[in-house]
Amino acid sequence: MSKKDISRRSFLKGTAAAGASLAAASLLPRITMAEDEPTSEFKWERGVFTDEETGWQLCDLETGELNLEGRGANGANAAVAAGTPWAAKAGLDVLKKGGNAVDAAAAVAFAISVTEPQASGIGGGGFMTMRAADGTINFINFRECAPELCDQSFWPVVQDPETGRYSVVGGANGKGGRAIGVPGTVAGMAYAVEKFGSLPLADAVQPAIDLCENGFYIGPTTGVSLESAYTNIVAYPEFASIYTLPEEAADELGRFTYFTGDLFKNTQQAKALKLIQEQGRDGFYKGELQDAMIKASNKYGGVFQPKDFEEYEADLREPVQGTFMGKTVISSPLPSSGGTCIIQLLNVLEAFGVDKLKEYGHNSVEYIHVLSEAMKLVYSDRSKYLAANTEDALVKALMDKEYAKYLASLIKMDSCLTPEAHDPFQYEHQDTTSFAVADKDGNIVCVTFTINGYFGSYVAPDGYGFLLNNEMADYDSNPNSPNAIGKAKYPLSSMSPTIVLNEDGSPFLAIGSPGGATIIVAVLQIILDTVLFGMDMQEAVEQPRIADNASANLRYETRIPQETIDALVALGHKVTPYSGDWDRSSGSCQGVLYAADGTLHGGADPRRDNKAFAF
Ligand code: GLY
């Protein structure tokens, strides 16, 4: 089946849903706005992102079908791969104007806040892994943290008597004011630019302001997620005031919200970004924006106080480091479980035998079996041991090569493991975003940041055009978990912006992905594809992926042949297909690889609206 056929088939599902919902629009409840008039000026115009130089387009305007081709880009000087072409372009422009990789990364982050608003933004937080041309490594933690008044009784939880699983009553950890953590993105970008950038923060914010004011065409991933968010757009008027069409236009078009292909201007977010541009981090954490964030959060049950915002700090941390096949792997430390789990997985696979894995062949029955078994073992440890404040000694023990040998010895080729522990993060989010910036001198910045679920908590500070995260859902609802709410300042993350270096310390790869706990196995598979199988960046990003965890349910993209899946079932695997050949829940990886000829190869995942540019 050609790529084109595959994409058409996956797309048809999407349009059926879109068509049904448009037809039903007149039956849907009217949206109540927080303000009488929407602040986005309406001028009806439709289009798609089109690269001026090459004519490449993100999607088909008529059908909304994503273009699976042309996502990667190679260049001699620098490459940027990001969640939207608009944001990748913003980063590239900063590099071309003389900014360094950190300036470009901050520009990408602010532009993502505008153009990929369902996944990330200034209302969220994340991590930045950096390598400078002189070989210095740094890691910035700007994860959202719990408000001071949050304790173990923050939410009522119930336990299912049959499964033993805990859940939060009314889903209060997923939406509304008690789902929100203090956002870290602005503190993180301000810190990064001040310490490692070469331009003022204001320059990194400007491209995002331009996108807000001049508008951009909404990409298919944002368009479809706006459509899915309808019930919550109705329930949260401040959210509605950002994305609903003016009444006249809604009547004319038979739908209430902006959709794929619409030119969208976010004059509300321009206001927030200008505060940041003029006042730096204080423009966000103090004054009118602090006030608006507290008011909005507490209106929906939150317990925020000014000091939660005023005292928020991004901080430098020591990233975790491991080795795989002679290469050095550098990734997120706590409060992310990501780096630790990726290194543990690589250790187990190396102990199992990389020659054997190579002989089995990429995505063969045996290869997938071994990966799945390793994933079960590592995710069991993750749920048993990892929280934002797990002791260093325990983290080190998990990444110990001897321990990996023991775990590898448990993997049998004729049967499946049944892990004892169960992963509290069995679900995948389609949220989050990851991007990479790299230049020819070896300056690399890899960032993964998020507002957690699509459109986060659905709470928006009134009149500022962005959503606050629902990162508190990353705490485990099981009060006995090390990652239970009230036990650590940060909820445990899986975000894993990762840098891989060659044996001589020169850069090889930067890679990251969204996808909740699936981030770990998406990044793992890219490392295996490139290091073990020698694939190029874009080739690796496009491979069909699998995922497993402590719940022992092997998920797979349906491009993996059915006979492979049948053989895995015969071995004892419980399997569940992802929803298609290219499933956006299986990760959405952006990376840059330093090719042997010295050029930079940017890779961007066709599963969402991602794009790489290079020069
Ligand atoms: N909320 C996604 C993560 O932190 O892993």
Side-chain angles (χ1 to χ4, degrees), residues 143 429 431-432 450 452 471 474 492-495 516 519:
R143 175 83 161 156
H429 304 282
D431 52 52
T432 313
T450 188
N452 199 17
E471 215 61 60
D474 275 355
L492 186 67
S493 173
S494 298
M495 293 188 287
I519 290 169

Side-chain angles (χ1 to χ4, degrees), residues 82-107:
T84 67
W86 310 97
K89 207 64 169 179
L92 201 80
D93 288 348
V94 167
L95 288 173
K96 282 183 177 171
K97 283 182 195 148
N100 69 18
V102 175
D103 302 317

